[in-house]
Amino acid sequence: MSNETEVELVDAFYMLIESLKNNGIENVYGIPGIPVTALIRSWQAEGGKWYGFRHETNAAMAAGVAGYLTGKPGVCLTTPAPGFLNGLAGAANATTNGWPMILLSGAAGRRNTDLQQGAFEEMDQLNAARPHVKAAYRINHISDIPIAVARAVRTAVSGRPGAVYLDLSHEMLTGTMPAAAAEALLFTPVDPTPKQLPDPAAVKRAADLLKGAKKPLILLGKGAAYAQADADIKALVEDTGIPFLPMSMAKGLLPDNHPQCAGPARSYVLPECDVVLIVGARLNWLLGNGKGNTWGNQLKKFIQIDILPQEIDSNVPIAAPLVGDIASCIAALREALKGMPKADAAWMGGIAERVNASKEKLAPTLKVETPPGMMNYRNSLGALRDVLAKYPSVTLVNEGANALDNTRMIVDQYQPRKRIDSGTWGIMGIGMGACIGAAVVTGEPVVAVEGDSAFGFSGMEVETMVRYNLPICVIVMNNGGIYKGNETNAGGYDDPSPTSFAPGSRYDKMIEAFGGVGVNAQTPAELAAAVEEAIKSRKPTLINACLDPDAGVESGRIAGLNIERKKKK
Ligand code: OXT
Ligand code: ADP
Ligand code: MG
């Protein structure tokens, strides 16, 4: 007998599958093809869950959102070159948002690729990925798989989370090794997300600043939601009595109807406050970069809790940096703030007045009547708000311009991590991937409010939802275009304007083609009834919400970022 027949061998698929399982990975999102199809079949055969998509960007979006919701990296698997590049868009989005995920991709052989000899789907993927992810590693040998997967997981979840790219080289994927040696290499990493305790001196500095504040404010970002320190954050807010302002994905960390929520008084509290405790938010464009008009043109005293030291002083000086993980920082701060008197009644009273005035101004617009087929953002979303208030555990996915901004303002959130949206980049195309990722990891119904343009970026995934029978209800806010549907071509000829789509489109027919439920809703009451039915039945549903093509404004609430022509020739 030769050695080869005596020694039991394992292959690279086995090592990859076992390593993913050792790291607690249960779901993989992606698209099959050369050279990973058999790997996916083996993953399923070994009890792993596979979610097959229609476009890799959506699979990668699902993985990123799964990472955000669970704190464990979502995993996306793609084929080389074009498949990889499609997936990279989602990985880049995860990195930008600080969500842990791993992009695995098959790759052409190193020998041909490095000599640029034109292998099938040849591409230098490792270097293409590198600028867009937190780290990129290549596995060239089967025996390196356990350490590479553990390294990818640890990199994705520790510190500021992000995406990690793992290049599955052809040489590695075709490798085998003796089973006994392989078993000795497989391991489960210890403590991949270690605590990062803040320096006691930094805690004291922060506590002293907060104690001396006259008009303090707590700003909660999606890092605070991600940290899953919900009870401690709530206790800090309630014990100090300080008003809080949630960034869009932090809505629901404390309920939007909480008496200390300053959301409806945003443009009052930001300029008026004196000391701001930032918990897991960046002073980026969404916060006017910490200065200027948004902040009343005064430099505030900022206390910033963040796990990433380089985030401190990124835009404006931070008076009291608190570097560490949010759970540990909040616990330490609570201890240091014990006995602090509640926030000033006059400050709270002023905020309450503005909150009530905003709500009273908004309320009648949510009930306004419009002719059938001519809903606007206010009355359609007002009806949706009332339905969703009954189902607080539903995850809301939201993208668009007017569809995004109005939903953020109108629809209240009551539980943490129940709102997923265009995020840090303000991108379109997160929608259906986010719906699927959220439905998979929460097991609860998901409702998406999608601009009709936004929906188009990932719309083909309605087939995926139907195939996996996921409890997702997609509402397409159909105003016939980007921002509006009634713009005419500025050149005067017959082609459509850059922002318009085919008028009267029936998106509901798309899901019917695959066996899902389609509804054409012409009135707020029809919309509300269809959403409630979808939540109760858990059937994949697409509602075409017929809006007035004139509903909407250019770029929603960020029109100021547009560039207008300076000169007409
Ligand atoms: O205080 P004031 O008075 O200011 O009032 C605020 C709150 O106090 C008040 N408020 C309330 N009032 C009453 N009651 C309650 N409960 C309440 N809560 C709040 O409401 C206001 C607003 O509050 P908010 O939102 O907190 O405050 P504000 O000032 O708006 O906040 C500032 C921001 C910056 C934090 C906020 O505006 C924000 O988060 N904005 C995000 C904007 C964003 O990301 N937009 C998406 C990108 S736009 C554009 O780029 C688009 N594209 C290009 C494109 C993209 N993006 N991606 C890709 C891959 N390709 C291309 C495209 C193609 S949008 C787009 C498609 C658009 O068309 P669609 O058909 O999809 O969508 P429609 O527009 O619907 O047609
Ligand atoms: P938002 O868009 O809601 O303002 P950002 O994504 O800009 O939020 O900011 C989130 C911040 O939270 C990032 O700077 C990130 O480093 C930080 N962060 C994420 N997780 C943690 C954690 N567990 N502990 C401390 N900081 C965290
Ligand atoms: Mg639109």
Side-chain angles (χ1 to χ4, degrees):
M1 248 199 259
S2 76
N3 249 2
E4 276 170 22
T5 48
E6 278 169 16
V7 178
E8 195 194 341
L9 296 177
V10 294
D11 62 9
F13 292 178
Y14 172 80
M15 291 297 268
L16 262 173
I17 292 166
E18 291 305 303
S19 298
L20 290 172
K21 285 188 183 167
N22 282 345
N23 282 275
I25 306 299
E26 291 162 2
N27 306 310
V28 178
Y29 310 84
I31 296 189
I34 298 167
V36 294
T37 313
L39 169 61
I40 298 164
R41 291 202 183 102
S42 309
W43 169 251
Q44 276 190 327
E46 298 298 325
K49 282 291 273 179
W50 167 256
Y51 292 92
F53 280 67
R54 306 301 294 257
H55 191 286
E56 292 89 349
T57 300
N58 307 322
M61 293 294 185
V65 163
Y68 169 68
L69 294 176
T70 61
K72 285 199 290 186
V75 174
C76 173
L77 175 62
T78 62
T79 59
F84 154 79
L85 279 176
N86 291 339
L88 186 58
N93 185 58
T95 304
T96 300
N97 282 284
W99 300 341
M101 74 160 280
I102 295 174
L103 177 63
L104 298 172
S105 183
R110 300 253 22 92
R111 190 171 163 191
N112 297 135
T113 303
D114 289 350
L115 272 174
Q116 298 189 6
Q117 291 176 314
F120 172 65
E121 296 185 343
E122 177 184 294
M123 188 183 196
D124 179 3
Q125 296 169 189
L126 186 70
N127 282 308
R130 201 156 257 150
H132 308 292
V133 292
K134 200 174 160 190
Y137 308 117
R138 174 180 293 136
I139 322 178
N140 279 312
H141 197 273
I142 175 174
S143 61
D144 292 330
I145 293 173
I147 210 76
V149 172
R151 192 148 191 226
V153 169
R154 188 175 286 279
T155 307
V157 295
S158 59
R160 174 184 288 168
V164 176
Y165 174 59
L166 271 187
D167 197 69
L168 309 179
S169 76
H170 186 84
E171 289 80 351
M172 180 277 282
L173 282 176
T174 50
T176 56
M177 70 180 292
E183 294 307 328
L185 292 173
L186 291 165
F187 76 108
T188 300
V190 177
D191 192 15
T193 321
K195 276 188 180 178
Q196 286 184 228
L197 301 178
D199 177 354
V203 175
K204 182 172 183 318
R205 190 186 299 119
D208 287 349
L209 193 54
L210 210 50
K211 283 179 190 163
K214 300 213 160 24
K215 296 177 173 181
L217 178 68
I218 297 177
L219 191 60
L220 300 172
K222 61 178 172 300
Y226 173 80
Q228 301 206 13
D230 310 336
D232 261 350
I233 291 174
K234 181 170 185 282
L236 175 89
V237 169
E238 291 181 346
D239 291 352
T240 59
I242 298 174
F244 69 92
L245 182 67
M247 298 300 288
S248 68
M249 283 181 56
K251 273 165 67 81
L253 188 45
L254 281 91
D256 278 334
N257 60 354
H258 191 284
Q260 287 165 255
C261 179
R266 188 179 200 270
S267 60
Y268 172 71
V269 290
L270 291 180
E272 282 293 317
C273 64
D274 58 358
V275 175
V276 188
L277 170 61
I278 307 173
V279 187
R282 285 169 284 187
L283 288 172
N284 56 14
W285 71 280
L286 291 155
L287 283 166
N289 298 93
K291 54 199 169 201
N293 264 342
T294 309
W295 297 91
N297 294 307
Q298 299 158 27
L299 182 60
K300 305 297 172 178
K301 288 206 165 68
F302 290 109
I303 303 164
Q304 184 164 20
I305 301 183
D306 208 288
I307 201 154
L308 189 72
Q310 304 91 297
E311 190 52 43
I312 308 300
D313 296 339
S314 60
N315 282 273
V316 287
I318 301 298
L322 207 46
V323 175
D325 72 85
I326 285 170
S328 302
C329 291
I330 296 283
L333 203 52
R334 283 190 64 208
E335 193 57 37
L337 290 172
K338 269 197 178 142
M340 178 180 135
K342 295 247 177 190
D344 178 57
W347 171 227
M348 296 309 289
I351 296 171
E353 224 173 84
R354 265 85 181 179
V355 166
N356 292 336
S358 292
K359 287 186 174 173
E360 275 163 27
K361 196 168 147 207
L362 183 65
T365 69
L366 303 181
K367 302 278 176 204
V368 99
E369 286 204 18
T370 45
M374 296 287 273
M375 285 187 279
N376 61 33
Y377 287 94
R378 295 289 172 88
N379 63 2
S380 52
L381 292 169
L384 177 68
R385 177 188 74 164
D386 295 343
V387 175
L388 291 184
K390 294 194 253 171
Y391 303 95
S393 64
V394 165
T395 301
L396 180 71
V397 170
N398 188 203
E399 59 178 345
N402 296 280
L404 175 78
D405 294 341
N406 284 290
T407 306
R408 187 178 63 244
M409 174 174 71
I410 294 168
V411 177
D412 290 330
Q413 305 289 148
Y414 303 94
Q415 293 181 6
R417 294 172 294 286
K418 294 295 182 190
R419 183 183 156 87
I420 297 160
D421 66 25
S422 302
T424 303
W425 263 345
I427 52 156
M428 305 300 110
I430 187 168
M432 300 305 102
C435 286
I436 294 169
V440 167
V441 299
T442 66
E444 299 272 352
V446 175
V447 171
V449 180
E450 298 276 310
D452 49 347
S453 163
F455 173 71
F457 288 70
S458 62
M460 190 64 200
E461 303 300 345
V462 293
E463 187 276 331
T464 312
M465 292 169 195
V466 174
R467 189 167 13 112
Y468 288 96
N469 194 24
L470 294 169
I472 298 169
C473 170
V474 180
I475 304 166
V476 177
M477 303 293 279
N478 188 355
N479 66 347
I482 300 175
Y483 315 134
K484 267 177 185 290
N486 60 356
E487 186 180 314
T488 51
N489 176 338
Y493 51 98
D494 283 343
D495 284 0
S497 81
T499 56
S500 12
F501 298 145
S505 296
R506 289 285 303 272
Y507 292 93
D508 50 311
K509 302 272 182 202
M510 278 178 68
I511 200 165
E512 287 177 355
F514 303 114
V517 178
V519 179
N520 190 45
Q522 311 238 22
T523 62
E526 286 172 10
L527 173 64
V531 174
E532 187 148 22
E533 175 56 28
I535 293 172
K536 285 187 182 155
S537 72
R538 298 175 66 98
K539 287 188 186 148
T541 301
L542 194 153
I543 303 168
N544 184 53
C546 302
L547 266 63
D548 182 349
D550 196 36
V553 294
E554 175 119 347
S555 299
R557 286 186 58 89
I558 56 170
L561 298 180
N562 278 317
I563 300 175
E564 294 302 330
R565 270 191 90 161
K566 295 279 177 288
K567 266 195 199 172
K568 284 205 173 132
K569 187 180 98 48

